[in-house]
Amino acid sequence: MASAGSSPLDTYAGNGSAHGTGSTAPWQRAALGANLLSPDGGLGVTIFEEMTTLAVSTGAINLGQGFPDEDGPSEIKAAAQAAIASGANQYAPGQGVPALREAIAAHQKRFYGLDPNPDTEVLVTTGATEAIAAALLAFVQPGDEVLTFEPFYDSYGAIIGLAGAKHVTAPLLAPDFMPDLNALENAFSSRTKVVLLNNPHNPTGAVFPRHVLAKVVELAAKYDAMIVSDEVYEHLTFGPAHIPVASLPGAAARTITISSAGKTFSFTGWKIGWLSGPEHLVAAVRTVKQFLTYSSGTPFQSAIAVGLALPDDFYTGIATTLQHKRDILAAGLRAAGFGVYSPSGTYFINVDTAPLGICDSVDLARRLPGLVGVAAIPVPVFCHPEGAERTRSLLRFAFCKKTGVLEEAAERLATLKDRL
């Protein structure tokens, strides 16, 4: 953790001195990239661990970490149980079980008109996190730049740091968390090797429209950069349709598309992810991936193949259910006095604490479990120092919980103004 004299933002945002290669050890670069090093070099715990500990110690409802509190479809669980009983308990092929690779290819064609070859253009990974790590480690080296939007999911910074690259960001701006396209263009340079895109976007809940994605593709082509697109929330949108960036003209040849079973099917503990893209890019990522985990989750892979073939009403149903849950929590957050930014996708909702006269969301996040019995995550922890200042009054809440839990959380939050 940071020293006693450092500020909350310092603890998680770091001092900004080494978002490039520096002379630090690889683990230190990873920690710095994930905002785990304080200015004095102390190693802290993640904000997720801190908020979870606070939630447990106070009996608070934990709306910080984004994992569901109920299982996904029973037919997928039954398929996993059957696979275990039938002996599918040894190493899977390094590229993934054929049935799952075929199901991923069929899913991409069914929903988006993309047609990857399951034998050469699809790779199964240990969750989307490994897919992102393997892709960046395959293509990025010291001196390169990796561009993300900001706020950014914390593992992006960690892997960029581990690879020794420089992490460059373009801000997403409230209230709709869309990028300023001029600022996006200014963030590119001749050293931009990879654009790491997250759409739908965590933590903001933004779903990027076609013109934003087209600008990303245009700039990636101009600077000859790859696009690595994290699309794990692809089926969790409320109104706007998800558009895979690989489906845009000129994008497919330079794009790796990543998704996973965890968010769509509510089986986060199974860690089944995948990526697809041009054969030569997938082969490069596979070369790295085989020396990370090689393979994992054999019985779960065939079960997720069953899930990907579920009918359309399953996919529309999960989005409809989540939208209802979003609205339950949003009502409680408005009653609390927050400024509420209603998301178009994911299962996260962001609020502004400034209407309550509070501009330090890190401090409020630490007090909230004791005040009203609800835990959240401050958005500044997903930013570099400049971005942390810009977002210092924002909090993120997860609504991927049972309806009754969200109703109770909304009731508790509604009392916040009286308790402050």
Side-chain angles (χ1 to χ4, degrees):
M1 294 295 292
S3 62
S6 60
S7 73
L9 286 180
D10 286 338
T11 303
Y12 293 107
N15 61 10
S17 62
H19 290 296
T21 57
S23 59
T24 52
W27 73 266
Q28 291 172 309
R29 296 199 303 270
L32 181 63
N35 294 332
L36 293 181
L37 284 187
S38 64
D40 63 3
L43 180 62
V45 299
T46 68
I47 188 66
F48 303 101
E49 183 176 346
E50 181 181 352
M51 292 301 111
T52 296
T53 300
L54 276 174
V56 170
S57 66
T58 60
I61 296 172
N62 189 355
L63 301 186
Q65 201 160 4
F67 60 87
D69 60 357
E70 51 191 336
D71 288 343
S74 59
E75 54 263 61
I76 301 179
K77 288 199 291 184
Q81 292 164 346
I84 291 170
S86 69
N89 301 304
Q90 308 307 324
Y91 292 127
Q95 195 170 347
V97 169
L100 179 54
R101 286 187 277 114
E102 291 164 5
I104 292 164
H107 169 277
Q108 293 301 91
K109 187 169 187 178
R110 169 186 171 189
F111 287 101
Y112 310 124
L114 300 170
D115 195 19
N117 184 327
D119 294 325
T120 60
E121 296 180 324
V122 175
L123 177 65
V124 178
T125 60
T126 305
T129 302
E130 186 192 40
I132 294 162
L136 291 181
L137 293 173
F139 299 112
V140 172
Q141 57 188 327
D144 290 337
E145 294 179 356
V146 178
L147 173 60
T148 74
F149 287 126
E150 186 179 50
F152 53 86
Y153 182 53
D154 59 349
S155 80
Y156 298 171
I159 299 302
I160 294 167
L162 185 63
K166 181 180 180 181
H167 187 182
V168 178
T169 62
L172 299 177
L173 306 173
D176 57 0
F177 295 106
M178 289 294 131
D180 177 286
L181 296 185
N182 289 327
L184 175 62
E185 184 162 8
N186 290 336
F188 276 80
S189 80
S190 60
R191 294 183 297 278
T192 305
K193 182 69 173 183
V194 170
V195 182
L196 178 49
L197 183 66
N198 180 205
N199 181 42
H201 185 265
N202 173 19
T204 67
V207 177
F208 300 123
R210 185 173 297 274
H211 77 275
V212 170
L213 298 175
K215 188 66 174 179
V216 171
V217 175
E218 173 195 327
L219 292 169
K222 178 180 178 179
Y223 290 94
D224 194 24
M226 280 185 57
I227 301 171
V228 175
S229 188
D230 175 358
E231 303 182 8
V232 296
Y233 298 98
E234 59 185 317
H235 291 294
L236 310 184
T237 64
F238 321 119
H242 170 64
I243 303 171
V245 69
S247 68
L248 270 65
R254 65 178 66 250
T255 300
I256 291 285
T257 301
I258 293 170
S259 194
S260 77
K263 307 302 187 293
T264 298
F265 301 115
S266 294
F267 291 118
T268 59
W270 291 11
K271 295 298 290 180
I272 302 298
W274 55 83
L275 60 84
S276 58
E279 180 177 353
H280 68 288
L281 298 182
V282 172
V285 179
R286 186 174 65 246
T287 301
V288 173
K289 180 263 187 297
Q290 67 184 338
F291 298 110
L292 297 176
T293 60
Y294 179 68
S295 72
S296 58
T298 302
F300 302 134
Q301 289 192 32
S302 56
I304 295 304
V306 172
L308 287 171
L310 288 173
D312 289 353
D313 59 3
F314 163 77
Y315 290 94
T316 56
I318 56 175
T320 300
T321 298
L322 268 178
Q323 183 171 353
H324 176 62
K325 292 181 175 183
R326 175 200 68 180
D327 295 343
I328 290 172
L329 183 58
L333 292 167
R334 290 190 182 96
F338 292 119
V340 177
Y341 302 118
S342 187
S344 297
T346 76
Y347 43 54
F348 301 109
I349 187 167
N350 288 266
V351 302
D352 190 354
T353 65
L356 290 169
I358 298 172
C359 293
D360 187 345
S361 62
V362 175
D363 176 67
L364 182 59
R366 288 174 168 146
R367 293 192 292 137
L368 203 60
L371 283 170
V372 296
V374 177
I377 298 294
V379 174
V381 305
F382 300 106
C383 301
H384 290 162
E386 183 178 344
E389 281 299 320
R390 186 177 57 252
T391 61
R392 66 179 290 115
S393 64
L394 301 186
L395 275 176
R396 189 197 77 173
F397 294 80
F399 53 90
C400 50
K401 309 297 180 182
K402 295 175 183 176
T403 299
V405 171
L406 293 171
E407 289 172 340
E408 173 63 23
E411 290 180 8
R412 295 183 184 187
L413 286 161
T415 68
L416 178 60
K417 283 192 291 187
D418 295 332
R419 295 177 181 272
L420 283 172

